[in-house]
Amino acid sequence: EMEAKYTRKMQALRDEMDLRRKTEIHELEERKNTQISELLGNHEGAFGAIKNYYNDITAKNLTLINLLKEQVEDLKKKEAVLEKEKADVLRENKGLIEPLQEAQELVAELQKKLVHYYRDKEALMNSKAHLKITQKELKDLQWEHEVLEQRFSQVQEERDDLYQNFTRAINEVQQKTGFKNLLLERKLHGLLTLLEQKEVEFSEVLAASNLDPSALSLVSDKLEDVLNSKNATIQDLQLQLARVCKAHNDMLQTFEAKLTAFGIPLDNLGFQPLSFPFPGQ
């Protein structure tokens, strides 16, 4: 009985557990189906959204591609235009190379001129400063010129006085030196004439006397002594004449230098001063 009782209870419990299991399975299936339906709905919505999103992206990309194609065509056209402009610019550059070189040379020359300009400007400033100094010096020189003009007037007066005195002095000196030279020349000429006469007389005496060689030698010695004495006298006279001529010529040179210093031409003397030559010239 207990076994049958527990068997019935076990059977009832199994049935209850089966029913509960079936109920829970049914609820799980219903929840599963609900979730599946929800997931399908969600997936369909997401898929639609994604589809719409990608459709929009595709449409936009197509539009962008078309736009980019147009831009590429425009860029190609612009590139062609730029290539043409580039060719034109290259031709212009080739044509501008020579003017560019000329311009560069002109720039170099202008830079040199600019350097010279700065130098000239600096020199001009220095010249202006020097001009101020020179103007001041000019004023000082003008004042000195006035003083020198006054002194020149005084010197002119002194020159006129010296000119008159010089004319008188030169006449007196010429007269004195000329007279003294004339006396010395006449005295020398007389001594030479006397010497010639003595030599002739001595020759005649020797020819007429027929003296022996010893006496002739003694006479010759005495005569030679006399001749040496006379020659010494002649040399002294010549030296005196040379000193007088030199003093006369030195005096003439001194007066000529004074006339030149005072600005008096030699032609204004009215005569030509006589310069005596030295003996033997």
Side-chain angles (χ1 to χ4, degrees):
E1 291 177 1
M2 286 181 70
E3 185 178 359
K5 182 180 178 180
Y6 281 102
T7 300
R8 287 193 297 270
K9 285 183 178 182
M10 184 65 69
Q11 186 65 39
L13 183 59
R14 284 181 179 175
D15 293 337
E16 184 180 356
M17 292 300 292
D18 289 334
L19 181 62
R20 184 181 293 179
R21 181 177 59 80
K22 290 178 180 180
T23 303
E24 289 178 356
I25 291 172
H26 182 69
E27 288 178 357
L28 286 173
E29 288 180 354
E30 286 181 357
R31 287 198 301 270
K32 181 187 68 171
N33 293 327
T34 303
Q35 290 178 356
I36 290 172
S37 298
E38 290 178 358
L39 288 173
L40 289 174
N42 293 330
H43 288 170
E44 288 179 357
F47 179 75
I50 291 172
K51 186 177 180 180
N52 293 328
Y53 173 74
Y54 282 105
N55 287 330
D56 294 336
I57 290 176
T58 303
K60 289 180 180 179
N61 288 333
L62 290 174
T63 305
L64 182 60
I65 289 169
N66 294 327
L67 180 61
L68 290 175
K69 286 182 179 180
E70 293 177 357
Q71 290 179 357
V72 168
E73 291 179 358
D74 294 336
L75 289 174
K76 287 182 178 180
K77 292 179 181 179
K78 290 181 180 180
E79 185 180 3
V81 174
L82 291 174
E83 288 292 336
K84 185 178 179 181
E85 292 179 355
K86 179 182 177 182
D88 296 336
V89 169
L90 289 175
R91 286 195 299 271
E92 291 179 359
N93 287 337
K94 289 182 181 179
L96 292 174
I97 288 175
E98 184 176 357
L100 178 61
Q101 292 177 353
E102 294 177 356
Q104 288 176 347
E105 293 176 357
L106 180 61
V107 168
E109 185 178 358
L110 290 175
Q111 287 178 348
K112 292 180 181 178
K113 289 183 178 180
L114 182 62
V115 173
H116 292 303
Y117 167 74
Y118 286 129
R119 290 180 183 174
D120 294 339
K121 185 178 180 181
E122 185 177 359
L124 179 61
M125 294 175 66
N126 295 331
S127 298
K128 288 182 178 179
H130 185 67
L131 178 61
K132 292 181 180 179
I133 298 172
T134 305
Q135 288 177 349
K136 184 177 181 301
E137 292 178 353
L138 178 61
K139 291 181 180 178
D140 297 337
L141 290 174
Q142 287 176 349
W143 180 78
E144 292 179 0
H145 178 68
E146 293 178 358
V147 174
L148 290 174
E149 281 185 346
Q150 295 176 1
R151 291 182 61 187
F152 178 71
S153 300
Q154 296 176 359
V155 171
Q156 277 185 335
E157 294 178 359
E158 294 177 359
R159 183 200 65 181
D160 295 336
D161 295 337
L162 287 173
Y163 177 71
Q164 294 175 0
N165 295 328
F166 170 74
T167 303
R168 289 194 298 271
I170 201 71
N171 289 328
E172 292 175 359
V173 170
Q174 279 188 342
Q175 290 176 0
K176 290 179 181 180
T177 55
F179 182 70
K180 191 173 182 179
N181 289 336
L182 181 62
L183 290 177
L184 290 174
E185 288 179 356
R186 288 183 179 178
K187 187 175 180 180
L188 179 62
H189 181 69
L191 289 174
L192 290 174
T193 303
L194 181 61
L195 177 62
E196 291 177 356
Q197 291 177 357
K198 293 296 183 180
E199 288 179 351
V200 172
E201 291 176 358
F202 180 69
S203 299
E204 291 177 354
V205 168
L206 290 176
S209 61
N210 292 322
L211 295 175
D212 58 352
S214 59
L216 182 61
S217 176
L218 180 61
V219 172
S220 297
D221 293 336
K222 291 183 178 180
L223 180 60
E224 187 175 357
D225 293 336
V226 172
L227 289 176
N228 291 330
S229 176
K230 295 299 182 180
N231 289 328
T233 302
I234 292 171
Q235 289 179 357
D236 291 337
L237 291 174
Q238 288 178 345
L239 290 174
Q240 292 180 10
L241 179 61
R243 283 196 294 270
V244 171
C245 291
K246 185 177 185 304
H248 175 74
N249 294 333
D250 291 341
M251 181 196 64
L252 287 179
Q253 292 178 358
T254 302
F255 278 114
E256 289 177 358
K258 290 293 182 181
L259 289 175
T260 304
F262 285 108
I264 301 173
L266 297 178
D267 297 337
N268 292 344
L269 292 176
F271 61 90
Q272 180 67 32
L274 179 61
S275 179
F276 291 101
F278 294 107
Q281 293 183 349

